Amino acid sequence: MSANVDIPGTTVAQRIAQALPRLTRSHRKVADYVLEHPLQVATLPIDELAALAGVSIATANRFARALDFDGYATFRAELIRGFELRGAPVECMGGKLECPTNVSEMFAAALDESCRNIEATRQMLDYAACEAAVERLGKARSIYIAGFGASAWLAGLLQHELDSSCRDVRLLPGISGVGHAASSLMHAGSQDVFICLAFPRYPTDAVALSQIARELGCGVVALTDRPTSPVAPLADVVLYCQTKTGYRTHCETSVLAVVEALARAVALRTPDMLRFSSRQQQSMLPWVHSEQGLPQTDAARPITNAVATKADANKRKSSRPTSSRSSSSAKADKRPTGSSFHSP
């Protein structure tokens, strides 16, 4: 990783991500505590932070300087400023919700916001980066994908889309959690690619997995929102998506558009993609409802025939008389009964 670059407006978490490779073991203990308890640390004096992190006061102060702050006071002020920025979307949403509006206006505003984000993403998209991402994915032996929070659903969609055109695509983390994801990622190497989706409020797990992938020599492709994102300096290729919104921390619509565009571009570069898609469609036909006008394959016919045979057998069994008494009773039931209706 390159040397730490002090970017104006960079948050504490981003500075930690940039400085992580050169931090000492004691500094990393402080970093871990800060990332796990940022709100608490923003209110702590330096001696209390040192005690909670299990380091000396001098180490805590050197940690702040290792992140290119003038001292602990500046470090803590940056933490507070970060929380003010995080709270801005919520405050904005509160202000908008106070204004009277109706459902149709809310739908129109949300769709307009999505359209603006997609258009802004299209305008700032670096097509050289897109080309590099597609080339890396097309050549990869294995592809690992990670996303957390709302990005987890988008990561799953990307895995689903790439699975039809790439050799080995794995979604991290699974049901075993991020620890197992890190363990699985340890099998990656220079022939593989790790894709990270990270947007505000930038989960630390996404940063940690990106760092692991980079240290293993694995190619890293990041989908994020800005150059100051903590995963941006860890990636070989970055695709930026504008995610501005007044109602949540970020809007996922533009990310979804980039995910679909990336998957389609990779499919376009896949050799014999048309033949593969045709074979894939044929393999899915037994699980597609036949009333949709699709031909039924031989694989599905035994199942259908077995169901029909069983139904015919049940029908014959139910129509067969069980005894002479039951037959007589059936005939008696067919006789009209004068007591049921009044005769004129």
Side-chain angles (χ1 to χ4, degrees):
M1 180 177 164
S2 60
N4 183 35
V5 178
D6 185 14
I7 303 173
T10 305
T11 67
V12 170
Q14 292 162 7
R15 293 197 186 207
I16 290 174
Q18 292 170 350
L20 197 60
R22 55 190 177 83
L23 292 181
T24 65
R25 181 176 298 180
S26 297
H27 289 170
R28 291 193 182 201
K29 290 176 64 176
V30 183
D32 289 340
Y33 192 87
V34 170
L35 292 174
E36 290 177 8
H37 310 90
L39 182 59
Q40 180 186 2
V41 173
T43 65
L44 291 177
I46 190 171
D47 57 335
E48 292 187 25
L49 171 62
L52 290 170
V55 298
S56 66
I57 295 176
T59 298
N61 193 50
R62 284 195 295 267
F63 166 75
R65 293 184 179 277
L67 301 184
D68 291 337
F69 291 109
D70 294 335
Y72 183 76
T74 310
F75 159 76
R76 195 171 68 168
E78 180 64 21
L79 267 182
I80 296 172
R81 189 183 75 88
F83 280 106
E84 290 174 350
L85 292 175
R86 290 182 180 186
V90 179
E91 294 171 3
C92 182
M93 180 178 70
K96 289 193 175 185
L97 292 180
E98 289 174 2
C99 302
T101 185
N102 54 44
V103 172
S104 62
E105 290 177 351
M106 182 59 69
F107 266 72
L111 292 172
D112 287 343
E113 182 178 74
S114 294
C115 290
R116 287 194 299 271
N117 280 327
I118 291 176
E119 179 58 25
T121 298
R122 190 182 71 83
Q123 293 289 342
M124 69 180 183
L125 207 57
D126 182 352
Y127 289 102
C130 296
E131 185 76 26
V134 170
E135 184 179 358
R136 284 176 177 269
L137 295 179
K139 295 180 179 179
R141 177 185 60 183
S142 296
I143 299 172
Y144 300 84
I145 306 175
F148 298 88
S151 294
W153 305 100
L154 296 167
L157 178 63
L158 181 57
Q159 187 270 339
H160 172 73
E161 294 291 336
L162 291 178
D163 193 50
S164 62
S165 53
C166 298
R167 283 174 282 185
D168 181 29
V169 187
R170 309 182 188 188
L171 182 64
L172 304 176
I175 58 175
S176 301
V178 70
H180 186 263
S183 177
S184 299
L185 193 56
M186 294 304 293
H187 297 288
S190 58
Q191 299 179 14
D192 306 313
V193 173
F194 172 73
I195 306 176
C196 178
L197 289 80
F199 296 89
R201 309 170 176 175
Y202 308 115
T204 55
D205 290 337
V207 179
L209 290 177
S210 299
Q211 181 66 46
I212 291 172
R214 187 174 180 85
E215 290 175 354
L216 292 171
C218 182
V220 180
V221 176
L223 273 66
T224 190
D225 64 327
R226 65 191 69 182
T228 54
S229 164
V231 299
L234 300 174
D236 300 293
V237 181
V238 185
L239 302 180
Y240 294 106
C241 311
Q242 178 165 301
T243 60
K244 291 182 180 179
T245 178
Y247 300 95
R248 302 185 309 279
T249 54
H250 66 280
C251 174
E252 292 88 8
T253 313
S254 60
V255 188
L256 173 60
V258 171
V259 163
E260 292 188 339
L262 178 61
R264 292 180 189 181
V266 172
L268 181 66
R269 292 288 182 86
T270 302
D272 298 328
M273 185 60 194
L274 184 60
R275 184 165 58 88
F276 178 80
S277 298
S278 177
R279 288 172 54 194
Q280 188 179 48
Q281 184 180 16
Q282 289 293 326
S283 68
M284 293 174 60
L285 286 180
W287 289 271
V288 178
H289 190 39
S290 60
E291 289 184 5
Q292 301 298 323
L294 293 173
Q296 191 180 59
T297 64
D298 292 336
R301 287 193 183 99
I303 301 174
T304 307
N305 293 339
V307 174
T309 302
K310 186 175 181 181
D312 291 341
N314 291 336
K315 185 177 180 181
R316 288 194 299 271
K317 184 177 180 181
S318 61
S319 63
R320 188 182 305 153
T322 56
S323 65
S324 59
R325 182 175 181 179
S326 61
S327 177
S328 301
S329 299
K331 292 179 180 179
D333 291 339
K334 294 180 181 179
R335 298 171 187 170
T337 54
S339 59
S340 298
F341 299 96
H342 180 66
S343 301

